[in-house]
Amino acid sequence: HYMSAGETFLSGRLHNFRTPLYPLIYHFAKVVAGGAAGHIVVILQILLFMLSIFAFYRSCCFLVQSRKIVFIASLLYAIHPGIILWNQFIITESFAISGAVILFYFVVEFYKKQRVWSAVAIPVTILALIALRPSSIYFTPALALFTLYMLVKRRKYAWTLFSGLIISAIAVAGYCFKFY
């Protein structure tokens, strides 16, 4: 399905069983590497997972005072057999878990230091996660509450974050309408 779905999306049509992100990643890997596309996707999953280990560690450092607990929690995340195993297969779970950890990191970073890059990264990441797995839409109510909190506190770039979430919601609604 992933191979044919990528071609379907690039032709401007929707696939009945797949959301666009993973099939498009697989399709571009196939264009670049041909028959080794699966290996390229696995390598991308592993690289994103390694980046998520850093994001997990940095988020823990903000939330937990004890360096020992941060180290142990990060180590457990990094060596979790389920996640490591999912990285080896052509399934969306690897990107979904790593992406969720990275999304949380962006939220923590925006809370700590309001910067425009994190205000933009949050809605871009949530949109990518929804395009990867529709169940990621459940992150949006929490992000909406977080955004409202940041607006009430008059935090810098809160309107940028709010605008990005609105644009993401419109994009998802447009996709759903097109699919309907």
Side-chain angles (χ1 to χ4, degrees), residues 3 26 29-40:
M3 290 180 274
Y26 192 89
K30 185 178 174 188
V31 168
V32 170
H39 297 295
I40 298 298

Side-chain angles (χ1 to χ4, degrees), residues 59 62-63 103-119 122 143 145-151 153-158 161:
S59 299
F62 176 72
L63 297 172
L103 174 65
F104 186 71
Y105 168 75
F106 289 148
V107 169
V108 167
E109 282 298 307
F110 187 75
Y111 182 78
K112 286 185 342 187
K113 308 172 212 160
Q114 292 78 49
R115 294 191 179 148
V116 73
W117 73 265
S118 55
I122 292 169
L143 290 173
L145 288 174
F146 174 72
T147 303
L148 289 175
Y149 172 77
M150 297 305 270
L151 285 170
K153 292 292 186 177
R154 298 178 191 251
R155 298 295 178 110
K156 194 174 183 182
Y157 301 117
L161 176 59

Side-chain angles (χ1 to χ4, degrees), residues 65-159:
Q65 296 296 321
S66 170
R67 293 289 177 211
K68 289 179 183 177
I69 293 174
V70 168
F71 176 77
I72 291 170
S74 299
L75 181 64
L76 290 174
Y77 173 72
I79 65 169
H80 188 280
I83 299 172
I84 291 171
L85 185 63
W86 284 335
N87 287 332
Q88 306 302 315
F89 296 104
I90 305 297
I91 55 175
T92 60
E93 280 77 2
S94 175
F95 279 145
I97 291 170
S98 297
V101 169
I102 291 169
L103 174 65
F104 186 71
Y105 168 75
F106 289 148
V107 169
V108 167
E109 282 298 307
F110 187 75
Y111 182 78
K112 286 185 342 187
K113 308 172 212 160
Q114 292 78 49
R115 294 191 179 148
V116 73
W117 73 265
S118 55
V120 172
I122 292 169
V124 168
T125 305
I126 191 63
L127 187 59
L129 286 171
I130 293 169
L132 180 68
R133 295 179 63 94
S135 62
S136 296
I137 202 161
Y138 292 112
F139 289 132
T140 54
L143 290 173
L145 288 174
F146 174 72
T147 303
L148 289 175
Y149 172 77
M150 297 305 270
L151 285 170
V152 167
K153 292 292 186 177
R154 298 178 191 251
R155 298 295 178 110
K156 194 174 183 182
Y157 301 117
W159 281 104

Side-chain angles (χ1 to χ4, degrees), residues 1-90:
H1 278 245
Y2 290 126
M3 290 180 274
S4 65
E7 294 169 7
T8 302
F9 285 117
L10 288 174
S11 71
R13 295 174 296 143
L14 298 178
H15 193 272
N16 290 337
F17 302 111
R18 302 282 178 227
T19 51
L21 187 59
Y22 203 78
L24 289 173
I25 290 170
Y26 192 89
H27 179 78
F28 289 124
K30 185 178 174 188
V31 168
V32 170
H39 297 295
I40 298 298
V41 172
V42 166
I43 290 168
L44 289 174
Q45 289 175 170
I46 291 168
L47 290 174
L48 188 65
F49 174 64
M50 291 171 63
L51 182 64
S52 78
I53 293 169
F54 170 77
F56 187 92
Y57 174 79
R58 296 289 296 169
S59 299
C60 282
C61 285
F62 176 72
L63 297 172
V64 179
Q65 296 296 321
S66 170
R67 293 289 177 211
K68 289 179 183 177
I69 293 174
V70 168
F71 176 77
I72 291 170
S74 299
L75 181 64
L76 290 174
Y77 173 72
I79 65 169
H80 188 280
I83 299 172
I84 291 171
L85 185 63
W86 284 335
N87 287 332
Q88 306 302 315
F89 296 104
I90 305 297

